[in-house]
Amino acid sequence: MKDNKDERPVTRLVPNVDVFERKEEFVVMADLPGVNDKGLDVTLDSDTLTINGKTGEEAHAAYEYTRSFTLSDRVDRSGIKAAIKDGVLTLSFPYAEEAKAKKIPVTYN
């Protein structure tokens, strides 16, 4: 498939991801080899977070990555962070205050 101006072949891929939980957040790590911050777009539309990435112009072949996730109400959307290093995108999703575990005091009657 060729759909870019210099006629390089474009391969569309779904990136592999690891998802894990920490005490205050959950984390998604997506493998995007060849993608840097200039070729990366992370968007949040309502409850859907979408990752779009493209390899750089210097590559012999072009790769486009796309993956979407539906976020729960447990996520504090204003605190989402994204960073990319060596082709790995790390997204951090802090828990909303309402979703964090709370200690319930017990009284003796």
Side-chain angles (χ1 to χ4, degrees):
M1 175 182 297
K2 296 180 181 183
D3 64 359
N4 53 3
K5 65 182 177 201
D6 58 359
E7 299 301 313
R8 290 183 301 160
V10 175
T11 303
R12 290 182 174 78
L13 302 168
V14 176
N16 292 325
V17 297
D18 290 322
V19 179
F20 57 93
E21 200 168 356
R22 294 182 180 151
K23 184 177 180 181
E24 299 290 324
E25 65 187 358
F26 77 93
V27 177
V28 173
M29 297 180 79
D31 292 327
L32 304 167
V35 176
N36 59 31
D37 60 332
K38 292 174 182 55
L40 182 62
D41 186 36
V42 179
T43 58
L44 179 62
D45 183 10
S46 187
D47 291 337
T48 304
L49 183 119
T50 301
I51 301 166
N52 288 302
K54 290 192 269 187
T55 56
E57 295 295 319
E58 69 280 354
H60 297 291
Y63 294 95
E64 293 182 358
Y65 300 91
T66 301
R67 187 130 184 200
S68 294
F69 302 90
T70 301
L71 302 181
S72 77
D73 293 337
R74 296 180 60 200
V75 172
D76 174 7
R77 283 148 175 75
S78 66
I80 298 171
K81 294 181 183 167
I84 191 162
K85 181 177 179 183
D86 298 330
V88 178
L89 172 66
T90 302
L91 296 163
S92 301
F93 302 88
Y95 293 121
E97 281 301 315
E98 310 82 52
K100 292 180 183 174
K102 295 176 182 64
K103 186 167 182 138
I104 308 297
V106 178
T107 59
Y108 179 73
N109 291 330

